[in-house]
Amino acid sequence: MVKISVYQDGGGRISGFRCAGHAGYANSGQDIVCAAVSALTVTAVNSVESLTQDKFSYEGDEEKGLMDFKVTAPVSDRAALILKSMFLGLMMIEESYGPKFIQVDKGIADLIRKEV
């Protein structure tokens, strides 16, 4: 199962995420849940890097299915929007495939609504 947790800054704003594990929905190379999670998380990291000036830390281990991403300075509005969009997509995957394969931090929905 893939577990995704959220990081927050001192003001409670989304500042990053930790994604760990493999979905186990299908065999490696055919797992559409893992592919979808990877597409969303990698795109979010690349978007923050390319479309913002935010500084961040990143750690990844493909074999362990680990991505740890955190904005290290105040989170810009643009980076916050990118991260909210990623979490919305991840929540939709969880709704479609269930918590047996992916579990998104339960507090994220409240954070997204709070920041709108």
Side-chain angles (χ1 to χ4, degrees), residues 39-106:
L40 285 169
T41 55
V42 169
T43 298
V45 170
N46 289 339
S47 295
V48 170
E49 181 176 31
S50 298
L51 303 174
T52 77
Q53 299 298 313
D54 294 49
K55 303 297 181 209
F56 59 87
S57 64
Y58 173 83
E59 178 186 343
D61 186 325
E62 193 172 323
E63 283 199 25
K64 293 179 182 176
L66 174 69
M67 290 183 76
D68 195 272
F69 173 85
K70 190 184 303 182
V71 174
T72 56
V75 182
S76 68
D77 289 342
R78 189 175 277 187
L81 182 61
I82 290 166
L83 292 170
K84 284 192 281 187
S85 177
M86 178 200 73
F87 273 108
L88 284 172
L90 293 169
M91 290 187 311
M92 291 170 62
I93 295 168
E94 182 179 17
E95 282 180 26
S96 296
Y97 292 94
K100 177 179 177 184
F101 302 107
I102 176 174
Q103 290 183 355
V104 180
D105 189 322
K106 295 304 175 206

